[in-house]
Amino acid sequence: MRFYIKPNIFEDSILLNLKNEIETFFQAKLVTVESEANVVFVLDKSIYPGYLVKKMNQEKVIILAAETVSLLQGFYYYLLNLINNDFNDVRQTPNQAIRMIDHWDNFDGTIERGYAGRSIFYENNQFLDDYNRVKMYARMLASVGINYIALNNVNVHHEETFLISAKHLAKVKFLADIFGKFGIKVMLSVNFASPIRFGDLKTADPLDEQVQQWWQTRANLIYDLIPDFGGFLVKADSEGEPGPFAYGRDHAQGANMLARALAPHHGIVIWRTFVYNAHQDWRDRTTDRARAAYDNFMALDGKFDDNVTLQIKFGPIDFQTREPVQPLFGALEKTNQIIEFQVTQEYTGHQIDINYLLQQWYEVLHFDTKHGQPELLLKDVPQTKSPVPQNSGVAAVGNVGRDDNWTGNKLAQANLYGFGRIAWDADLTPEQILSEWLQLTFGKLEHLDVIKEIMLSSNATYEAYTAPLGVGFMVTPQNHYGPSIDGYEFDRWGTYHFADRNGLGVDRTVKTGTGYTRQYADANYAKYEDLTTCPDELLLFFHHVDYTHVLHDGKTVIQHIYDTHFEGVEKVKQYLALWPQLEDELAPIDYQNVLEHLNRQLKNAVEWRDQMNTFFYRMSGIPDNQERKIYA
Ligand code: GCW
């Protein structure tokens, strides 16, 4: 294979990196004469965004793009297709402009909700300076089109507050340079109270001129060192993090203040909408956490500066296995938006249980918000509803750590890979993405169907043995793995199931409940409000029903709970029975890794089954119609 890059001057660090990548992968120097090459990269201003791959003849492929980063992406696309030797003319344009991974890494080396070892960036309040590891990671992210990364946890603890100080910025720059070569912009999560925490001012009031000046000076300092710095990610007035509410200011005033400090440098503020009352009283049935994002942000539509983007969790509560889509999507008309997902498996099995999340994301992204004609699917919301589309997109909390295989459970790699792929093209199916990942990871497999069967059913299996019918939570408090049905029931976090001797579920209707349903467009409101049209998988999210309520498939709620929990365990047993077919095909370390995790998954599933079935049998007094073993 002979490669040529046009123009072949390499002042741009990304172009230089493309050259290095080609030389690394093909162990050959670029040729100096274009006509001798069979793969030619061309900077062409007319091909924007994305890239164009043209097959000239059997021997020659040309990849064209306006931006060097797109040429690099074109190279990875070339690699992907080289394996299948499949080159047709293709124009690749990303669905989303911002395609981001958020790290919840702390400076001490721990990772909030991390399940794959310690941070790849930090240890003991110092930078790890592991150039090679970070480079491999940057390459992986770039190869699936990720173009933004936040380097630290949105909960900004004491030491992390000073990441934006001269003391640490040189090391931030070290990371920014590595990611920058791969076309990935680095952002930092900042503490809204920084002017106070730094000891410089007595207030962080966004309308105070000294505060504004403080941030301006800070921004200047950062950009002097890191000219391509992405900007700030902010969790404000949420779960104890400081924010503008302390000064009687709203979130637009808070976000715009930061945005104005960054604007001269073309930086952006990504401002999270995960703002809710975390001091609820279980007895108060009028307050509803699901309503919070909409209640706090809808009235601010149109009040945010052009370089502010709201980062909105895909559902109204918190990355549960099953939740409806957040009603702000489609309703917001004049605000830049990012949809936030969670690749790290906080509520979805801790990377112990196999859970191929693409199933969930595909469904969520294809949800019709009913805010458009003939439809407005969630995947199209960021681009079509953001006044500055290039400041919109998707983000996800990442799942890597210092484990040898990066993700703890080897198969959890597929979620990171897949997130990048759907961020680029939301119409790729979970099956397609899985096939790509399997091919790239394991090569040709004789028992490909086995691994596919396990992974493609894994999301449904996990849902089957955990919280039923969209009710959510019921997880062990704090760590969020394994069952604890009442663990969050009487607590302050707004996470209730309201199970009693007659039934369970949260009444979020207008008629008799919290009125949350009214936050949706008319057609969705009507669908969710009415018990007969509400989809079963979300029934308990929207309604409180008796155990004897009959679902669309003719089963009662209680029988559904029993059946799914027995079936979920059987599924995991099946996975364990199937897995040994792969023993001779996979590297022993990967084979064992998954086997060991599957054994732990089985324990978890059994625990869920028995706790759930026992709890609801005792509550309802209704026996299983198949008389299976329930511990009374
Ligand atoms: O659900 C919560 C998680 C927290 C997380 C928070 C958030 C970073 O349990 O660990 O904090 O979501 O998204 O801010």
Side-chain angles (χ1 to χ4, degrees):
M1 220 65 71
R2 293 179 307 277
F3 295 86
Y4 181 82
I5 302 175
K6 187 174 165 180
N8 65 356
I9 29 168
F10 302 107
E11 283 158 357
D12 175 295
S13 72
I14 300 173
L15 212 55
L16 181 62
N17 190 35
L18 169 62
K19 173 176 177 281
N20 292 338
E21 287 289 271
I22 293 171
E23 291 175 353
T24 310
F25 275 92
F26 290 93
Q27 285 162 1
K29 291 253 170 269
L30 301 185
V31 296
T32 50
V33 181
E34 183 179 348
S35 59
E36 284 173 9
N38 40 21
V39 184
V40 178
F41 293 88
V42 182
L43 267 181
D44 178 335
K45 288 291 161 221
S46 68
I47 310 297
Y48 178 86
Y51 53 89
L52 171 70
V53 179
K54 276 181 88 121
K55 182 175 179 173
M56 305 309 283
N57 52 47
Q58 281 312 319
E59 258 90 69
K60 196 159 185 132
V61 174
I62 301 189
I63 299 168
L64 306 103
E67 298 184 309
T68 52
V69 58
S70 305
L71 282 185
L72 185 65
Q73 280 151 1
F75 171 66
Y76 295 122
Y77 178 87
Y78 173 79
L79 282 184
L80 175 64
N81 289 280
L82 193 61
I83 294 172
N84 310 318
N85 202 6
D86 168 23
F87 289 102
N88 295 311
D89 288 6
V90 30
R91 177 82 177 88
Q92 282 276 353
T93 52
N95 291 172
Q96 311 293 345
I98 292 177
R99 305 176 297 277
M100 178 167 186
I101 290 291
D102 293 346
H103 277 253
W104 284 357
D105 297 32
N106 298 315
F107 209 28
D108 65 3
T110 58
I111 303 178
E112 183 153 348
R113 314 305 176 188
Y115 312 107
R118 297 176 71 80
S119 168
I120 61 169
F121 301 132
Y122 321 109
E123 186 59 58
N124 198 19
N125 291 335
Q126 289 179 349
F127 285 80
L128 271 177
D129 294 338
D130 189 341
Y131 179 85
N132 283 326
R133 192 196 299 264
V134 175
K135 183 178 164 189
M136 280 193 278
Y137 182 53
R139 172 187 286 139
M140 193 271 133
L141 295 184
S143 75
V144 287
I146 297 297
N147 59 1
Y148 274 86
I149 188 167
L151 295 178
N152 63 304
N153 190 355
V154 289
N155 290 327
V156 184
H157 307 299
H158 182 76
E159 269 303 308
E160 291 84 343
T161 304
F162 299 95
L163 284 174
I164 52 171
S165 72
K167 183 174 163 205
H168 293 312
L169 278 172
K171 292 297 179 79
V172 174
K173 179 182 165 54
F174 174 84
L175 291 176
D177 285 348
I178 304 174
F179 284 108
K181 289 195 301 189
F182 287 90
I184 300 169
K185 275 185 192 272
V186 155
M187 298 188 71
L188 290 173
S189 298
V190 294
N191 188 315
F192 194 78
S194 293
I196 303 172
R197 302 283 158 89
F198 271 63
D200 294 338
L201 300 177
K202 295 235 156 10
T203 176
D205 182 350
L207 297 195
D208 184 301
E209 271 176 33
Q210 280 183 300
V211 172
Q212 295 164 1
Q213 192 52 51
W214 190 92
W215 282 105
Q216 186 65 72
T217 309
R218 198 51 43 193
N220 297 345
L221 179 81
I222 296 171
Y223 281 89
D224 275 351
L225 266 166
I226 313 170
D228 59 350
F229 184 69
F232 298 146
L233 171 62
V234 192
K235 171 176 178 177
D237 292 317
S238 167
E239 301 184 331
E241 291 300 294
F245 284 167
Y247 309 97
R249 313 300 182 199
D250 66 32
H251 278 229
Q253 291 169 315
N256 291 344
M257 184 271 295
L258 293 176
R260 285 166 200 170
L262 298 175
H265 309 284
H266 309 292
I268 59 173
V269 169
I270 299 184
W271 189 272
R272 296 175 87 230
T273 62
F274 185 61
V275 177
Y276 69 98
N277 174 4
H279 292 276
Q280 246 177 271
D281 184 333
W282 174 81
R283 289 161 295 193
D284 162 21
R285 300 272 176 123
T286 58
T287 309
D288 180 1
R289 173 167 163 183
R291 296 184 56 117
Y294 191 101
D295 283 348
N296 281 306
F297 285 90
M298 196 56 218
L300 299 178
D301 193 20
K303 299 222 164 102
F304 292 94
D305 283 5
D306 278 355
N307 63 332
V308 176
T309 300
L310 294 185
Q311 180 163 299
I312 307 169
K313 288 189 182 183
F314 75 82
I317 301 278
D318 199 2
F319 301 135
Q320 299 299 289
T321 298
R322 177 71 68 173
E323 332 183 15
V325 164
Q326 164 62 245
L328 275 173
F329 291 118
L332 288 174
E333 298 266 355
K334 292 171 262 170
T335 305
N336 301 322
Q337 302 161 51
I338 285 177
I339 313 166
E340 185 176 357
F341 293 93
Q342 204 180 36
V343 181
T344 195
Q345 289 173 234
E346 176 180 358
Y347 295 100
T348 52
H350 282 206
Q351 282 143 245
I352 297 168
D353 301 31
I354 298 171
N355 195 338
Y356 181 56
L357 293 167
L358 273 293
Q359 308 279 10
Q360 182 192 45
W361 301 337
Y362 186 88
E363 205 177 305
V364 164
L365 287 167
H366 289 81
F367 171 78
D368 186 359
T369 64
K370 303 282 185 197
H371 279 287
Q373 284 303 330
E375 59 180 16
L376 176 63
L377 303 186
L378 179 63
K379 71 184 172 100
D380 298 319
V381 166
Q383 281 291 300
T384 58
K385 293 279 183 165
S386 299
V388 187
Q390 75 259 30
N391 289 343
S392 74
V394 291
V397 186
N399 67 346
V400 308
R402 242 180 282 161
D403 275 6
D404 285 341
N405 68 12
W406 295 90
T407 50
N409 189 327
K410 174 87 178 175
L411 301 183
Q413 288 180 358
N415 289 328
L416 182 60
Y417 176 86
F419 173 73
R421 296 295 284 136
I422 51 141
W424 186 277
D425 181 357
D427 289 329
L428 291 170
T429 64
E431 291 82 354
Q432 277 173 301
I433 293 172
L434 183 61
S435 297
E436 282 179 17
W437 179 78
L438 288 169
Q439 167 86 51
L440 290 166
T441 306
F442 299 119
K444 284 221 172 339
L445 287 179
E446 203 181 311
H447 292 95
L448 194 64
D449 50 329
V450 170
I451 210 165
K452 277 192 174 169
E453 184 182 328
I454 293 175
M455 289 179 77
L456 290 173
S457 61
S458 62
N459 186 245
T461 298
Y462 190 81
E463 183 174 6
Y465 61 74
T466 54
L469 302 167
V471 77
F473 278 85
M474 300 190 168
V475 285
T476 309
Q478 273 109 44
N479 105 324
H480 302 168
Y481 185 77
S484 176
I485 293 152
D486 276 343
Y488 272 116
E489 190 59 6
F490 309 102
D491 215 325
R492 62 189 174 93
W493 302 95
T495 48
Y496 315 120
H497 53 67
F498 298 129
D500 59 24
R501 62 190 294 245
N502 300 312
L504 83 160
V506 188
D507 186 349
R508 294 192 158 105
T509 63
V510 169
K511 224 197 218 147
T512 48
T514 69
Y516 165 74
T517 52
R518 193 52 275 191
Q519 294 183 343
Y520 288 93
D522 290 346
N524 284 333
Y525 155 63
K527 180 173 78 179
Y528 293 141
E529 176 80 9
D530 183 345
L531 195 55
T532 60
T533 52
C534 182
D536 285 338
E537 67 273 13
L538 287 170
L539 180 70
L540 303 178
F541 191 94
F542 286 106
H543 297 272
H544 185 93
V545 298
D546 285 353
Y547 295 114
T548 51
H549 172 85
V550 179
L551 301 171
H552 291 101
D553 65 2
K555 272 186 197 172
T556 59
V557 165
I558 188 72
Q559 195 55 44
H560 173 92
I561 293 176
Y562 295 148
D563 287 354
T564 50
H565 286 80
F566 282 116
E567 285 158 17
V569 170
E570 290 317 303
K571 269 296 215 192
V572 182
K573 285 186 181 157
Q574 246 178 51
Y575 298 164
L576 263 162
L578 285 169
W579 190 249
Q581 292 187 43
L582 286 145
E583 183 162 11
D584 297 333
E585 293 198 67
L586 300 184
I589 195 160
D590 294 334
Y591 174 76
Q592 285 299 336
N593 170 270
V594 176
L595 182 62
E596 183 224 324
H597 283 89
L598 269 173
N599 278 307
R600 291 164 71 190
Q601 178 171 2
L602 180 60
K603 270 202 185 133
N604 189 36
V606 167
E607 197 59 36
W608 271 98
R609 177 196 66 193
D610 291 340
Q611 290 214 26
M612 292 290 285
N613 287 346
T614 296
F615 180 94
F616 285 105
Y617 173 66
R618 286 179 179 171
M619 272 282 176
S620 69
I622 303 170
D624 169 33
N625 68 10
Q626 294 182 49
E627 294 170 15
R628 288 162 293 196
K629 174 82 190 161
I630 291 178
Y631 298 88

mmCIF file of all heavy atoms in Angstrom, residues 104 112-113 153-155 235 239 272 274 313 318-319 346-347 480, ligand 1:
data_model
loop_
_atom_site.group_PDB
_atom_site.id
_atom_site.type_symbol
_atom_site.label_atom_id
_atom_site.label_comp_id
_atom_site.label_asym_id
_atom_site.label_seq_id
_atom_site.Cartn_x
_atom_site.Cartn_y
_atom_site.Cartn_z
ATOM 1 N N TRP A 104 -15.443 11.095 34.439
ATOM 2 C CA TRP A 104 -15.750 11.443 35.818
ATOM 3 C C TRP A 104 -14.549 11.058 36.690
ATOM 4 O O TRP A 104 -14.678 10.526 37.781
ATOM 5 C CB TRP A 104 -17.040 10.746 36.269
ATOM 6 C CG TRP A 104 -18.294 11.386 35.710
ATOM 7 C CD1 TRP A 104 -18.387 12.502 34.934
ATOM 8 C CD2 TRP A 104 -19.644 10.940 35.911
ATOM 9 N NE1 TRP A 104 -19.711 12.786 34.631
ATOM 10 C CE2 TRP A 104 -20.508 11.835 35.216
ATOM 11 C CE3 TRP A 104 -20.233 9.876 36.603
ATOM 12 C CZ2 TRP A 104 -21.894 11.703 35.199
ATOM 13 C CZ3 TRP A 104 -21.614 9.733 36.588
ATOM 14 C CH2 TRP A 104 -22.439 10.643 35.894
ATOM 15 N N GLU A 112 -15.461 8.415 39.665
ATOM 16 C CA GLU A 112 -16.850 8.306 40.101
ATOM 17 C C GLU A 112 -17.590 7.448 39.072
ATOM 18 O O GLU A 112 -17.568 7.727 37.874
ATOM 19 C CB GLU A 112 -17.488 9.701 40.217
ATOM 20 C CG GLU A 112 -18.908 9.644 40.737
ATOM 21 C CD GLU A 112 -19.339 10.907 41.474
ATOM 22 O OE1 GLU A 112 -18.490 11.756 41.792
ATOM 23 O OE2 GLU A 112 -20.550 11.034 41.733
ATOM 24 N N ARG A 113 -18.200 6.376 39.569
ATOM 25 C CA ARG A 113 -18.930 5.424 38.696
ATOM 26 C C ARG A 113 -18.013 4.757 37.669
ATOM 27 O O ARG A 113 -18.429 4.486 36.528
ATOM 28 C CB ARG A 113 -20.102 6.099 37.975
ATOM 29 C CG ARG A 113 -20.979 6.971 38.861
ATOM 30 C CD ARG A 113 -21.493 6.226 40.045
ATOM 31 N NE ARG A 113 -22.259 7.095 40.939
ATOM 32 C CZ ARG A 113 -22.677 6.697 42.136
ATOM 33 N NH1 ARG A 113 -22.391 5.481 42.585
ATOM 34 N NH2 ARG A 113 -23.369 7.497 42.903
ATOM 35 N N ASN A 153 -14.104 14.987 36.496
ATOM 36 C CA ASN A 153 -15.450 14.795 37.024
ATOM 37 C C ASN A 153 -16.235 16.111 37.106
ATOM 38 O O ASN A 153 -15.685 17.137 37.502
ATOM 39 C CB ASN A 153 -15.283 14.199 38.438
ATOM 40 C CG ASN A 153 -16.580 13.709 39.040
ATOM 41 O OD1 ASN A 153 -17.646 13.877 38.469
ATOM 42 N ND2 ASN A 153 -16.471 13.098 40.212
ATOM 43 N N VAL A 154 -17.515 16.020 36.783
ATOM 44 C CA VAL A 154 -18.390 17.190 36.912
ATOM 45 C C VAL A 154 -18.613 17.587 38.378
ATOM 46 O O VAL A 154 -18.963 18.731 38.660
ATOM 47 C CB VAL A 154 -19.760 16.974 36.230
ATOM 48 C CG1 VAL A 154 -19.611 16.973 34.721
ATOM 49 C CG2 VAL A 154 -20.426 15.684 36.712
ATOM 50 N N ASN A 155 -18.445 16.622 39.274
ATOM 51 C CA ASN A 155 -18.362 16.985 40.692
ATOM 52 C C ASN A 155 -16.922 17.419 40.917
ATOM 53 O O ASN A 155 -16.020 16.600 40.959
ATOM 54 C CB ASN A 155 -18.685 15.793 41.598
ATOM 55 C CG ASN A 155 -20.160 15.411 41.522
ATOM 56 O OD1 ASN A 155 -21.024 16.263 41.352
ATOM 57 N ND2 ASN A 155 -20.437 14.126 41.638
ATOM 58 N N LYS A 235 -21.512 21.484 36.158
ATOM 59 C CA LYS A 235 -22.636 20.950 36.930
ATOM 60 C C LYS A 235 -22.871 21.949 38.050
ATOM 61 O O LYS A 235 -22.035 22.096 38.939
ATOM 62 C CB LYS A 235 -22.267 19.581 37.479
ATOM 63 C CG LYS A 235 -23.263 18.994 38.482
ATOM 64 C CD LYS A 235 -22.859 17.575 38.903
ATOM 65 C CE LYS A 235 -23.828 17.001 39.930
ATOM 66 N NZ LYS A 235 -23.490 15.605 40.300
ATOM 67 N N GLU A 239 -26.938 18.394 43.311
ATOM 68 C CA GLU A 239 -26.339 17.434 44.241
ATOM 69 C C GLU A 239 -25.173 18.055 45.011
ATOM 70 O O GLU A 239 -24.112 17.463 45.155
ATOM 71 C CB GLU A 239 -25.887 16.173 43.486
ATOM 72 C CG GLU A 239 -27.043 15.482 42.773
ATOM 73 C CD GLU A 239 -26.669 14.175 42.083
ATOM 74 O OE1 GLU A 239 -25.514 14.027 41.668
ATOM 75 O OE2 GLU A 239 -27.560 13.311 41.974
ATOM 76 N N ARG A 272 -24.927 21.639 32.369
ATOM 77 C CA ARG A 272 -25.814 20.484 32.530
ATOM 78 C C ARG A 272 -27.188 20.873 33.100
ATOM 79 O O ARG A 272 -27.282 21.783 33.922
ATOM 80 C CB ARG A 272 -25.156 19.431 33.414
ATOM 81 C CG ARG A 272 -23.898 18.877 32.773
ATOM 82 C CD ARG A 272 -23.174 17.922 33.685
ATOM 83 N NE ARG A 272 -23.631 16.550 33.584
ATOM 84 C CZ ARG A 272 -23.958 15.804 34.627
ATOM 85 N NH1 ARG A 272 -23.952 16.301 35.839
ATOM 86 N NH2 ARG A 272 -24.321 14.546 34.464
ATOM 87 N N PHE A 274 -29.012 18.712 34.755
ATOM 88 C CA PHE A 274 -29.304 17.736 35.815
ATOM 89 C C PHE A 274 -29.449 18.470 37.149
ATOM 90 O O PHE A 274 -28.630 18.363 38.049
ATOM 91 C CB PHE A 274 -28.162 16.715 35.847
ATOM 92 C CG PHE A 274 -28.361 15.570 36.788
ATOM 93 C CD1 PHE A 274 -29.427 14.702 36.634
ATOM 94 C CD2 PHE A 274 -27.456 15.331 37.818
ATOM 95 C CE1 PHE A 274 -29.595 13.622 37.497
ATOM 96 C CE2 PHE A 274 -27.621 14.260 38.686
ATOM 97 C CZ PHE A 274 -28.688 13.410 38.529
ATOM 98 N N LYS A 313 -29.529 14.991 30.101
ATOM 99 C CA LYS A 313 -29.573 13.524 30.153
ATOM 100 C C LYS A 313 -30.728 13.016 29.293
ATOM 101 O O LYS A 313 -31.787 13.644 29.264
ATOM 102 C CB LYS A 313 -29.727 13.036 31.596
ATOM 103 C CG LYS A 313 -28.457 13.221 32.424
ATOM 104 C CD LYS A 313 -28.532 12.539 33.801
ATOM 105 C CE LYS A 313 -27.239 12.819 34.564
ATOM 106 N NZ LYS A 313 -27.187 12.148 35.889
ATOM 107 N N ASP A 318 -32.346 9.520 35.581
ATOM 108 C CA ASP A 318 -30.911 9.336 35.767
ATOM 109 C C ASP A 318 -30.365 8.051 35.143
ATOM 110 O O ASP A 318 -29.979 7.141 35.878
ATOM 111 C CB ASP A 318 -30.599 9.348 37.266
ATOM 112 C CG ASP A 318 -29.136 9.613 37.533
ATOM 113 O OD1 ASP A 318 -28.391 9.811 36.580
ATOM 114 O OD2 ASP A 318 -28.767 9.630 38.713
ATOM 115 N N PHE A 319 -30.260 7.992 33.843
ATOM 116 C CA PHE A 319 -29.572 6.868 33.185
ATOM 117 C C PHE A 319 -30.084 5.491 33.629
ATOM 118 O O PHE A 319 -29.298 4.553 33.790
ATOM 119 C CB PHE A 319 -28.066 6.924 33.456
ATOM 120 C CG PHE A 319 -27.368 8.169 32.992
ATOM 121 C CD1 PHE A 319 -26.454 8.813 33.826
ATOM 122 C CD2 PHE A 319 -27.587 8.698 31.728
ATOM 123 C CE1 PHE A 319 -25.765 9.952 33.396
ATOM 124 C CE2 PHE A 319 -26.906 9.835 31.294
ATOM 125 C CZ PHE A 319 -26.003 10.456 32.135
ATOM 126 N N GLU A 346 -23.274 2.520 35.321
ATOM 127 C CA GLU A 346 -23.643 2.803 36.708
ATOM 128 C C GLU A 346 -24.887 2.027 37.155
ATOM 129 O O GLU A 346 -24.854 1.328 38.157
ATOM 130 C CB GLU A 346 -23.873 4.312 36.902
ATOM 131 C CG GLU A 346 -24.353 4.644 38.310
ATOM 132 C CD GLU A 346 -24.582 6.132 38.546
ATOM 133 O OE1 GLU A 346 -24.329 6.937 37.631
ATOM 134 O OE2 GLU A 346 -25.014 6.483 39.665
ATOM 135 N N TYR A 347 -25.962 2.208 36.419
ATOM 136 C CA TYR A 347 -27.222 1.544 36.771
ATOM 137 C C TYR A 347 -27.464 0.326 35.889
ATOM 138 O O TYR A 347 -28.536 -0.254 35.913
ATOM 139 C CB TYR A 347 -28.390 2.522 36.599
ATOM 140 C CG TYR A 347 -28.345 3.692 37.536
ATOM 141 C CD1 TYR A 347 -27.884 4.930 37.106
ATOM 142 C CD2 TYR A 347 -28.760 3.557 38.857
ATOM 143 C CE1 TYR A 347 -27.846 6.015 37.977
ATOM 144 C CE2 TYR A 347 -28.726 4.641 39.726
ATOM 145 C CZ TYR A 347 -28.268 5.865 39.282
ATOM 146 O OH TYR A 347 -28.234 6.945 40.133
ATOM 147 N N HIS A 480 -25.194 1.354 43.641
ATOM 148 C CA HIS A 480 -26.077 1.158 42.489
ATOM 149 C C HIS A 480 -25.890 -0.153 41.731
ATOM 150 O O HIS A 480 -26.173 -0.237 40.546
ATOM 151 C CB HIS A 480 -25.988 2.371 41.521
ATOM 152 C CG HIS A 480 -26.345 3.660 42.161
ATOM 153 N ND1 HIS A 480 -26.108 4.890 41.588
ATOM 154 C CD2 HIS A 480 -26.947 3.924 43.360
ATOM 155 C CE1 HIS A 480 -26.532 5.853 42.398
ATOM 156 N NE2 HIS A 480 -27.035 5.300 43.478
HETATM 157 O O1 GCW B 1 -26.841 9.794 39.265
HETATM 158 C C1 GCW B 1 -25.836 10.582 39.601
HETATM 159 C C2 GCW B 1 -24.638 9.748 39.877
HETATM 160 C C3 GCW B 1 -23.553 10.659 40.355
HETATM 161 C C4 GCW B 1 -23.291 11.677 39.242
HETATM 162 C C5 GCW B 1 -24.586 12.394 38.897
HETATM 163 C C6 GCW B 1 -24.413 13.358 37.730
HETATM 164 C C7 GCW B 1 -21.237 12.799 38.785
HETATM 165 O O2 GCW B 1 -24.948 8.766 40.828
HETATM 166 O O3 GCW B 1 -22.424 9.901 40.627
HETATM 167 O O4 GCW B 1 -22.316 12.601 39.647
HETATM 168 O O5 GCW B 1 -25.539 11.459 38.546
HETATM 169 O O6 GCW B 1 -24.737 12.984 36.621
HETATM 170 O O7 GCW B 1 -23.993 14.462 37.959
#
